[in-house]
Each structure stands twice: as structure tokens, then as C-alpha cells.
Amino acid sequence: MAAPGVRTATRWWSVYRLPRWLREVVLVGAIYGAYELSRGLQNGAVAVATRNGRDILHWERALDLAPEKLLTHALISVTPLAVAAAYFYSTMHYIITPVVLIWMYRCHAKQYRTARTALAFSTILGLVVFYLVPTAPPRLLRNAGIPDALFDVRHWGWWGGEGSVPRGLGGLTNQFAAMPSLHVGWALWCGFLLARYASRRYVKVLGVLYPLATTFVVLATGNHYLLDAVAGAVVMALGAGLALVAKSALTRFRARRAARPADRPVAASSQADRARTDTNHPGPARLHADRIVDADRSAPGAAWDDSQHAAAARH
């Protein structure tokens, strides 16, 4: 049985600690808040971000892997499709991800923690790259021939010429966080989990289509390069790898921690068992002493001596 102080401390902790679901909300909210706030750390690096964007576009064109111009012109030529893509870019990233996160928490609790950790690690890696490599999106490169699809259909929504944020709030976000594309990274995370754990076939199909549609939208709206999308996939893969490593390390740590305190109770119980054994089953020394006493009592005159001692005791 634990000491009274230990039991009291345990009750105190159980009363004041947050429920698990609330702790998860706080953790995910902190990650998302860090994502949004850190996007503005490099807003002043306009020249560096523009140069990095032009370098990426140059590398793509040198490899004949620059579909951004073709896709954006094709998109804005069909206004309904451009409006749909603008709404997709402005909303789905912030709706599908938390929905999948809650679904994993409710329906696949065993896999939830690893999935959440993978998302957290990939987001942190993305924030580091945002800070180290500020990159202007294609739509902000002058003379690149890549229009801003969201700005072209701005009268159909709340956005203006500063990405998907409402008009007048562009200063709250980082316009130079194109590399890597966390839109694509998070979409791959959602798509993999849906395709892997959903029980309905059409949900699995949606899980495959969602990251493909996201990649098309971020390229066709002029918000990301193709290499940004590739980098987003790499960041998500690295985050998943780190999550698996962390899970393995935590499992080994818990196993060692569970084995360590078990040594003391076993030793204590073994000592108690030996004490009880000594009482119930006397050892050789005690048996020898008992035999000597019995032999003395059975010797001639022993009965008379015992009676004499008894009589002396009565007087």
C-alpha cells in the first residue's frame, strides 16, 4: 500500500490536471498558433525572398519542370473554376486537417498520437525552413508571367491580393513562406490517414484525390512552385520518420521505467517471505537446539528436576 502522502499527491494531480482531449486541443492550438505567428518573422526580407523565388523558378525551367505559368493562365480563363480553386485554397487547408485530426482521436486512438506527432514535427520543420529560406511565391515575381489567380477573382470572396486572408489583414501573415508548401504536406498527411484507416471505399478514394487536388490548386493559383510541393512532401515524410523514432524511444523509456521500481518491492517481499519461512520452517541450527532440549528432558531424573522447579515456583 502506498504511503498516505503519495496517495494525497495522486488525488491532487488527478483533480487539477487537464482532460486528455483538452490537452490535445491546447497542443494542436499552440502548434497552429506558432505556424501562423512565425510566418511573419521574415516579412521584411523582400529582396532575399524574391531572389530565392527567381532561383527556384530558374531551376524548374532549366529542368523543364515549370507548370505554374501554364496552369495559372488555364485556371483564370475559366472563372467558375478559378473561384472554386480560390475557395479551396482559402478554406480546405484549415477545415480538413482538424477534421481528420479529431476523427483519428475519436476512432483510431492507438494511431492518433503518432499521427499527431508527425504533423507537429513536419510543421516545426516547415517553420524552420520559412525562417531560413524566405521565398516569394510565383504570383509576386515581376515579369515572370504568372498571374495571381486569387486576386483576379477577389470580387467573389473575402480575399484580396495578399493570399487567402481577408482584405486588410495581409500584414498578419508572411507572404514569403512559399518553401515548403505545408498546404501540400498537410494534405498528404490527411490523404494518407484517410486512405489507410477509413472503412468506406469512397472515403479512401477522397483521401487519394485530396492531396492531388491541393497540389493542383496551389500551383494553379500562383501560390507555390512545383519544388515547393515536393519540399512539402519531403518535410511531411521527415516528420513521420521523426514521429516513429520518438514513439520507439518513448516505448523503450517506459519499459525501463516500469522495470526499475519493480526491483524494490520484490526484494522487500522476498525478505518478508524468508522471515515467515524461518518461523514456520526452522533452520538446521534451531532444529539442533530443539533436539538438545528434548534430549535433556528425556534423560533420567529430568522429570524429578522439572517437578522440583515447579514446586519451587509455587513456594
Side-chain angles (χ1 to χ4, degrees):
M1 181 179 295
V6 176
R7 297 183 61 182
T8 303
T10 303
R11 290 197 197 100
W12 180 90
W13 171 248
S14 63
V15 170
Y16 288 96
R17 70 178 181 180
L18 295 175
R20 182 185 173 189
W21 67 268
L22 186 54
R23 282 181 285 159
E24 294 296 330
V25 170
V26 172
L27 176 61
V28 174
I31 294 172
Y32 180 76
Y35 165 67
E36 288 296 329
L37 292 176
S38 63
R39 285 161 60 94
L41 293 178
Q42 287 284 22
N43 262 337
V46 179
V48 176
T50 302
R51 184 175 66 251
N52 289 337
R54 292 193 181 278
D55 288 343
I56 292 175
L57 189 60
H58 173 74
W59 296 335
E60 287 187 352
R61 288 175 176 174
L63 298 172
D64 292 329
L65 295 175
E68 297 86 3
K69 183 176 180 179
L70 175 65
L71 292 177
T72 52
H73 282 282
L75 182 68
I76 64 176
S77 64
V78 184
T79 301
L81 185 60
V83 173
Y87 274 104
F88 187 103
Y89 180 81
S90 302
T91 59
M92 299 299 281
H93 181 61
Y94 306 103
I95 295 176
I96 300 299
T97 305
V99 166
V100 172
L101 198 64
I102 295 172
W103 170 68
M104 289 294 296
Y105 179 83
R106 296 293 302 274
C107 302
H108 302 278
K110 291 183 179 180
Q111 295 80 20
Y112 165 79
R113 183 167 294 179
T114 303
R116 177 257 288 153
T117 306
L119 183 67
F121 277 138
S122 64
T123 303
I124 293 172
L125 290 174
L127 299 182
V128 172
V129 179
F130 287 164
Y131 182 79
L132 296 178
V133 190
T135 304
R139 60 183 175 82
L140 294 183
L141 296 182
R142 294 181 180 179
N143 303 320
I146 302 174
D148 187 343
L150 268 70
F151 181 78
D152 194 68
V153 294
R154 63 190 180 280
H155 302 297
W156 295 85
W158 58 80
W159 54 84
E162 298 172 320
S164 60
V165 297
R167 297 183 187 92
L169 297 181
L172 299 179
T173 62
N174 185 5
Q175 298 296 309
F176 307 120
M179 170 67 74
S181 173
L182 288 185
H183 274 78
V184 174
W186 287 13
L188 282 172
W189 179 85
C190 295
F192 172 81
L193 294 177
L194 292 174
R196 176 68 178 83
Y197 297 111
S199 57
R200 300 179 184 274
R201 185 179 296 273
Y202 76 91
V203 178
K204 292 179 178 291
V205 173
L206 290 176
V208 174
L209 295 178
Y210 177 58
L212 296 176
T214 300
T215 303
F216 168 79
V217 167
V218 299
L219 297 179
T221 55
N223 283 285
H224 287 283
Y225 307 92
L226 179 61
L227 289 181
D228 293 344
V230 174
V234 172
V235 164
M236 180 51 62
L238 290 175
L242 290 174
L244 293 176
V245 171
K247 178 183 178 181
S248 177
L250 183 61
T251 301
R252 292 195 300 269
F253 172 76
R254 287 177 173 174
R256 290 195 300 267
R257 186 179 179 184
R260 193 177 304 142
D263 297 339
R264 296 178 181 176
V266 169
S269 62
S270 62
Q271 293 176 1
D273 292 339
R274 284 197 298 271
R276 288 193 295 269
T277 302
D278 292 341
T279 303
N280 298 328
H281 303 284
R286 182 170 177 177
L287 289 174
H288 180 67
D290 291 343
R291 291 194 189 100
I292 293 175
V293 173
D294 293 339
D296 291 341
R297 288 180 177 178
S298 62
W304 183 86
D305 292 338
D306 291 341
S307 63
Q308 291 291 339
H309 287 302
R314 284 194 299 270
H315 291 291

